[in-house]
Every structure is written in structure tokens, then in C-alpha cells.
Amino acid sequence: MAAPGQPRCASYDAIVIGAGIQGSFAAYHLARRGRDTLLLEQFFLPHSRGSSHGQSRITRSAYPQEHYARMMPHSFQLWQQLEDEAGTSLYRRTGLVVLGPPGDPELEGYRHRVGPDDVLNAVTLAQRFPGLRPRPGEVTLWDSTGGVLLADRALRAVQDAFRRRGGTVCDGEKVLRIDPGAEITVTTSTGMYRAPRLIITAGAWTNAVVAPLGLHLPLQPLRIDVCYWREKEPSSSGAVTPCFIATGLPYAPHGIYGLPALEYPGLVKNTPDEDFILDQHPKYSNIIIGAGFSGHGFKLAPVVGQLLCELSLGEEPSHCMAPFTISRFPGVLRAAL
């Protein structure tokens, strides 16, 4: 313990900056491997300033990009593992409907991931989900594994599991300085911490954290407005409306997705959605960076956390990392501030 008025100083096997869903899973996987891990968060938990808060997120198996499609079965498995460990339900299966014009690249990517029996004609769609009405000629696909992750509950569950495995969470501590080296020193508003490995999952604050390390990533923090519409004809049977994704819409270039009325009875939510960064710092190999998740990263967080853990420990990653490298962006390494 530090003396009164003095900053505390401690050493760990690993430090994770950012206690959103990605950082929390990275810390959890490190703790599962017996590493004494510190999870740092600049705001007091729980908070709603990042992209991991809220009551629900879509999950699904169907993905237009092959690398994400390969990761999803593993993600479902790890979510189930956390449910078993936490003793609570984190996922509700509702199914997912994907709608869009034939020939649209994203829609055709989805079509390659589903079976022939999962292409719904207009009659079948109207019978099963009368509230979804595609335009003439649009294709409708069905992913029976789609559903809703209970986001706030999931974040609490993984953080609680991390603590049960001996992990330390320090919230309300803003990172002021990172000194790289074989032993990395992280100075916060409250203390100073050292570890041989560091994972940065700082969400919209990532560039502010990595800029002093000479790195500027092409990240664009966006404020996404979440909108709710009241159901015109609420279901009287108790059946849950499926999740849906509409792609290739001329009036919505980023697409639209919606979730059923689980957060607020009688309402549905829509928002828009891009590619992850999971890599070592180009100059400091013991600093790992995870960024670019907002929009579709929540469902993959258990796998992302494992990959970040594996990178930090020098293990062979569980999945191909080629799509997630920093090197795909030219000119990101600059002189340190």
C-alpha cells in the first residue's frame, strides 16, 4: 500500500487499458492463463460513454466477410462458456432476417454463408414475420442462430469472472503516460503500474493513448444515434420479432439493422455498421492494440479478447490475423510526441 498522499505503484504480468467488452475479455483470457492482470478504466464503472453499454446487441453466424464467418462459431462457444461460468443467460435466440437487392455485394456475401433452405420467398416471410415487408425483387435470407446478446449483463459477467480469477480492476483512472520498454510503465491519474506486456483497447480514445507512442491509426470516432419505433401491431402471441439487417438500400448507404423489443416493450432499435485492428505496435512488440470495433465487434468480443491475449503472450493466434494488421494502413508510424 502506498503512503497517504502518494501514488500507488504495483507490478503485474499484464496491463489492459480500457474496460469495455474487448478489453474486459482480453483481461479475462489473461487471467484464465494464470497471468496477474490489471484492467484500467478512465471512467467509473459502469458508464455509458463508450460503445459497450446498453442492453442489447445483435449476434449471428451469417457474415459477408469470410474471416468473421470463420470466427463466429468460436465466439458462440466462448459466449456459452461465459454463460456457464456466470450462471446466467447472456444470449436470446430470435433468428435474423437479411434483406436486400440481388447482386448487392454484401447481400451476396451473406447468401454464400446460408443454405438453400434459408432463402425465404415473399409468402413465407409474410407468414412468419408480417412486420417485415421487402420491396419487389428483394432477396430475403434467414439465419436461425441470430439473436440478441444482453450487453450490460455480458459486460458485468466477464468483469466479474475476471475478478474471480484474481484480476484487478481499477476504474476512475485516466492514463497520463506510457513509457515503453521491456518493462512498460503506465502512469495514471492515481498511480503507476508496471508490466512486461500491455494491451490497449481504449475505443474512441485509442489515438489519444497511442499518439505519444508514435502511432496514428485511421480511426474515426462516430456518435451513433439509437432510434426507437413503436410497433404498429404488437404481437399478442408473445412471439419475438427477429433481428433484421437491410443492406444495399439507396437511402441508407451504411445499411440498417434492427433488434426486437427486448429493451423496451413494443419498440425496436436501428443503427448503422466496418474492420478491426488487432496487432502489435510496429515498434514495441509487447504493446498490443485492439481497435475499430464499434458497429459489429460486440458479438466477436470473446474471440477478440482471446486473440489479443495470445498476441500479448507470443502464442500462435487462434485465427488468421492478416485482415487485422496495422501494416495495411500506410504512414501510421510517426515520431513519438
Side-chain angles (χ1 to χ4, degrees):
M1 295 289 292
Q6 290 185 335
R8 57 186 176 212
C9 183
S11 294
Y12 295 88
D13 295 329
I15 298 172
V16 179
I17 296 174
I21 195 66
Q22 314 293 346
S24 296
F25 262 112
Y28 166 76
H29 283 291
L30 284 163
R32 280 180 58 87
R33 285 164 168 74
R35 298 319 197 269
D36 185 17
T37 304
L38 170 66
L39 180 58
L40 287 171
E41 171 55 49
Q42 65 175 320
F43 302 115
F44 288 103
L45 297 171
H47 69 85
S48 60
R49 304 187 194 185
S51 59
S52 294
H53 70 282
Q55 294 189 21
S56 58
R57 296 292 189 280
I58 285 180
T59 189
R60 63 186 190 267
S61 293
Y63 241 110
Q65 301 95 335
E66 184 178 353
H67 49 283
Y68 293 128
R70 288 197 301 262
M71 293 165 70
M72 277 311 304
H74 188 191
S75 188
F76 272 106
Q77 176 188 348
L78 292 177
W79 278 117
Q80 180 64 61
Q81 176 180 292
L82 180 61
E83 280 190 326
D84 294 342
E85 186 171 340
T88 188
S89 175
L90 304 176
Y91 160 65
R92 184 173 180 182
R93 182 181 295 209
T94 65
L96 169 75
V97 174
V98 182
L99 309 95
D104 175 73
E106 187 168 348
L107 179 88
E108 296 304 326
Y110 280 112
R111 198 204 292 254
H112 289 312
R113 313 293 171 205
V114 301
D117 294 336
D118 296 322
V119 180
L120 306 181
N121 59 42
V123 174
T124 303
L125 181 67
Q127 290 174 342
R128 294 175 64 179
F129 311 116
L132 296 175
R133 299 172 186 172
R135 293 175 298 178
E138 284 190 330
V139 177
T140 305
L141 309 175
W142 172 247
D143 177 0
S144 63
T145 70
V148 176
L149 288 167
L150 307 178
D152 282 342
R153 187 187 299 182
L155 185 59
R156 287 195 303 271
V158 70
Q159 290 173 354
D160 288 346
F162 169 65
R163 291 187 182 97
R164 285 195 299 270
R165 292 178 178 274
T168 302
V169 179
C170 289
D171 59 350
E173 294 199 32
K174 184 176 181 179
V175 172
L176 304 178
R177 180 183 177 92
I178 299 172
D179 294 301
E183 180 101 326
I184 301 164
T185 301
V186 177
T187 303
T188 74
S189 53
T190 301
M192 182 182 295
Y193 309 99
R194 297 186 177 93
R197 55 187 62 84
L198 170 68
I199 297 175
I200 299 172
T201 50
W205 295 269
T206 296
N207 268 330
V209 175
V210 302
L213 301 173
L215 195 61
H216 182 80
L217 301 171
L219 302 172
Q220 182 182 6
L222 297 175
R223 175 173 177 165
I224 303 299
D225 291 321
V226 178
C227 304
Y228 296 86
W229 282 265
R230 185 167 299 281
E231 293 176 308
K232 290 183 179 179
E233 300 176 6
S235 172
S236 60
S237 65
V240 176
T241 305
C243 300
F244 68 86
I245 295 175
T247 183
L249 304 176
Y251 48 83
H254 296 289
I256 296 173
Y257 67 79
L259 287 74
L262 297 180
E263 293 186 60
Y264 302 101
L267 301 176
V268 294
K269 180 171 72 176
N270 296 345
T271 70
D273 165 285
E274 291 190 16
D275 227 336
F276 305 162
I277 293 172
L278 308 173
D279 204 357
Q280 298 172 329
H281 187 289
K283 187 175 179 181
Y284 310 113
S285 60
N286 59 345
I287 297 178
I288 309 301
I289 298 165
F293 305 110
S294 185
H296 70 117
F298 200 100
K299 70 183 75 64
L300 284 157
V303 178
V304 166
Q306 181 170 322
L307 291 170
L308 292 171
C309 169
E310 291 164 347
L311 286 173
S312 73
L313 296 176
E315 299 176 359
E316 183 69 23
S318 302
H319 296 271
C320 174
M321 303 301 289
F324 311 120
T325 60
I326 290 175
S327 62
R328 72 186 193 266
F329 305 113
V332 297
L333 190 60
R334 303 178 182 181
L337 300 179

